[in-house]
């Protein structure tokens, strides 16, 4: 395992971004001033994210059916209009309008990215986060858009016993995971392993020599 999971995600994101040619930044001061005027929480990583990627609805945010509109124009327009009913308190800030699943918010105190859902009484709750942080969110969009450029994929069909053993053996190698399901991505021996919920399939991704060389450079 890479000595620091957080640094690994950041480094991988930067390497994968080399395949994206449609990233457009936004003037950071415009974003900061907009949020300050409306008393919206301004986490540094959140502002950094919008300033770097918020100028265009980049392909990796809308590929593979994901549909995350993280443009500053979209976010600011939502704030300027009447807030949706699931808009939380100022403990959260809007980070994306999702094509199929409405809004995603970032929690100010933790950096978790949450998707609200309605409980049996019609109240909006944020019990589970969808992504642990911005780097995990960005990695998922980038990796599953461009992985064919730098990996070779092998599909493994496991029995229930083999799958349970995988979760035990790879527990400490979790790279990006989700708290309310078994879906996740693991990094071990310079390979990435992906599991989707409710399947017995493990997808093994062998990283190219060039990608690994840059990763550990």
């Amino acid at each position: 395992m890479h000595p620091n999971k957080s640094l690994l995600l950041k480094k991988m994101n930067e390497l994968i971004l080399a395949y994206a040619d449609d990233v457009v930044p936004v003037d950071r001061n415009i974003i900061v001033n907009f949020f300050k005027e409306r008393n919206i929480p301004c986490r540094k990583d959140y502002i950094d994210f919008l300033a770097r990627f918020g100028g265009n609805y980049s392909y990796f945010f809308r590929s593979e059916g994901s549909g995350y509109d993280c443009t500053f124009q979209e976010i600011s327009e939502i704030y300027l209009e009447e807030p949706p009913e699931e808009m939380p308190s100022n403990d959260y800030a809007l980070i994306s309008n999702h094509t199929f699943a409405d809004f995603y918010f970032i929690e100010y105190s933790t950096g978790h990215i949450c998707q609200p859902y309605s409980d049996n009484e019609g109240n909006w709750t944020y019990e589970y986060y969808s992504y642990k942080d911005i780097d995990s969110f960005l990695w998922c969009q980038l990796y599953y858009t461009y992985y064919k450029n730098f990996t070779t994929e092998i599909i493994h069909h496991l029995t229930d016993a083999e799958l349970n053993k995988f979760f035990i053996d790879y527990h400490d190698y979790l790279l990006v995971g989700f708290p309310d399901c078994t879906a996740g991505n693991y990094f071990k021996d310079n390979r990435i392993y992906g599991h989707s919920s409710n399947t017995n399939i493990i997808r093994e991704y062998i990283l190219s020599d060039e990608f690994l060389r840059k990763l550990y450079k």
Side-chain angles (χ1 to χ4, degrees):
M1 183 64 169
H2 193 280
N4 187 305
K5 187 184 301 184
S6 177
L7 290 178
L8 174 64
L9 277 174
K10 290 180 183 295
K11 186 69 177 290
M12 291 184 73
N13 283 344
E14 292 304 315
L15 292 177
I16 303 172
L17 274 167
Y19 297 98
D21 60 1
D22 61 348
V23 173
V24 178
V26 177
D27 187 319
R28 183 185 181 87
N29 290 330
I30 293 176
I31 299 172
V32 171
N33 290 337
F34 178 87
F35 288 143
K36 283 186 175 179
E37 289 172 1
R38 289 156 183 81
N39 296 316
I40 300 170
C42 293
R43 285 180 58 94
K44 182 180 182 303
D45 56 354
Y46 174 54
I47 301 301
D48 291 344
F49 174 82
L50 291 179
R52 186 173 186 184
F53 301 106
N56 186 42
Y57 194 2
S58 295
Y59 176 69
F60 58 86
F61 283 128
R62 51 187 169 83
S63 66
E64 301 299 323
S66 54
Y68 292 95
D69 191 339
C70 302
T71 59
F72 178 63
Q73 178 178 346
E74 176 72 7
I75 290 171
S76 60
E77 286 179 355
I78 292 172
Y79 273 114
L80 290 172
E81 296 172 357
E82 183 177 355
E85 61 178 345
E86 63 265 46
M87 183 74 79
S89 67
N90 272 1
D91 293 332
Y92 297 81
L94 180 67
I95 194 170
S96 172
N97 187 6
H98 193 284
T99 304
F100 304 107
D102 296 323
F103 305 103
Y104 280 74
F105 302 92
I106 183 168
E107 187 175 19
Y108 182 75
S109 61
T110 65
H112 294 167
I113 295 177
C114 312
Q115 177 193 356
Y117 66 92
S118 180
D119 62 20
N120 293 332
E121 297 178 354
N123 300 311
W124 292 101
T125 64
Y126 301 81
E127 183 177 357
Y128 299 110
Y129 62 78
S130 299
Y131 298 92
K132 183 178 181 181
D133 50 33
I134 284 178
D135 287 330
S136 299
F137 169 69
L138 183 59
W139 186 89
C140 287
Q141 313 320 313
L142 287 170
Y143 182 80
Y144 283 104
T145 300
Y146 298 113
Y147 72 89
K148 292 181 180 179
N149 291 278
F150 55 89
T151 73
T152 300
E153 182 181 9
I154 302 174
I155 298 177
H156 302 278
H157 297 269
L158 306 184
T159 64
D160 289 345
E162 289 171 334
L163 185 63
N164 289 333
K165 186 176 186 304
F166 173 87
F167 290 142
I168 294 172
D169 292 345
Y170 284 73
H171 177 269
D172 293 337
Y173 299 94
L174 183 66
L175 180 66
V176 175
F178 307 91
D180 59 339
C181 63
T182 60
N185 293 275
Y186 303 78
F187 183 76
K188 183 181 181 183
D189 297 331
N190 293 328
R191 299 186 179 194
I192 293 173
Y193 299 85
H195 176 254
S196 299
S197 297
N198 303 317
T199 76
N200 280 52
I201 295 175
I202 295 293
R203 298 180 182 274
E204 177 183 359
Y205 302 94
I206 304 172
L207 298 170
S208 69
D209 291 341
E210 180 182 5
F211 190 89
L212 287 171
R213 177 180 57 79
K214 293 178 180 178
L215 185 63
Y216 291 108
K217 185 176 180 180

